[in-house]
Amino acid sequence: MPETKLFSAAGRINRSFFIVQYALTLLAYGITRALIDFSASLAVSIPLLLIFVAVGFSMVCTSIKRLHDLNHSGFLYLLMFIPIVNLLLLIYLAAKPSNNWKNEYGLNPLLPPANCPTCGRQAFQPPGRYTCSDCGQRFELDSNFTATAYQS
């Protein structure tokens, strides 16, 4: 599974990670909601309410990262506030495969990134010819994600 930050909307996550993270977040959301409903004390309700908000924010961030994986803006998440459309968007996020290669939101989480053979910078997908922006080294990336320096 890719490494991801729970409270950040930056980056991408694949659909299997989205489904697992969304399900766990939904479970935590439901448990917290039930505890809030059954708590009689304000001293118990306030911390639970903070947890409830944090879990909800995590759910939003997870959905935005999945939208990024499909090369969509996070603003598309606003459709989640429209009944029926929210269910269709959730199905879309859970069913659509990741976009291949790198997009404007980062590298494909299912594919290994390639390293520059000189400086080790990690950020190159798909196979092809690149010039490293850190060291200027020119190299070719094959379909096995092996980088080989070349001269033109």
Side-chain angles (χ1 to χ4, degrees):
M1 292 235 165
E3 185 178 319
T4 184
K5 294 179 180 160
L6 208 53
F7 299 105
S8 170
R12 300 170 60 176
I13 58 173
N14 62 44
R15 67 180 158 174
S16 62
F17 193 78
F18 169 76
I19 292 168
V20 169
Q21 191 170 346
Y22 204 85
L24 290 175
T25 305
L26 206 56
L27 179 67
Y29 200 70
I31 291 169
T32 308
R33 175 67 187 184
L35 289 173
I36 289 171
D37 287 346
F38 289 116
S39 68
S41 167
L42 187 61
V44 173
S45 293
I46 291 176
L48 287 173
L49 187 60
L50 293 175
I51 293 170
F52 186 72
V53 170
V55 168
F57 183 70
S58 169
M59 195 178 290
V60 171
C61 290
T62 299
S63 298
I64 290 173
K65 283 185 275 195
R66 182 67 182 128
L67 284 165
H68 287 173
D69 187 46
L70 300 172
N71 209 23
H72 296 297
S73 169
F75 284 109
L76 200 58
Y77 182 78
L78 294 174
L79 294 176
M80 288 296 234
F81 295 105
I82 302 171
I84 308 300
V85 175
N86 58 0
L87 295 174
L88 295 173
L89 181 59
L90 191 59
I91 291 168
Y92 173 74
L93 293 176
K96 181 134 169 68
S98 296
N99 280 352
N100 291 334
W101 315 116
K102 179 179 179 180
N103 68 21
E104 68 179 282
Y105 300 103
L107 301 173
N108 183 332
L110 295 176
L111 299 175
N115 298 334
C116 171
T118 305
C119 70
R121 180 170 189 256
Q122 197 179 52
F124 304 99
Q125 292 177 352
R129 290 189 166 193
Y130 294 95
T131 301
C132 180
S133 60
D134 287 353
C135 68
Q137 172 68 49
R138 296 159 113 176
F139 64 95
E140 188 166 9
L141 183 62
D142 66 19
S143 60
N144 295 323
F145 297 95
T146 305
T148 310
Y150 76 91
Q151 303 295 324
S152 58

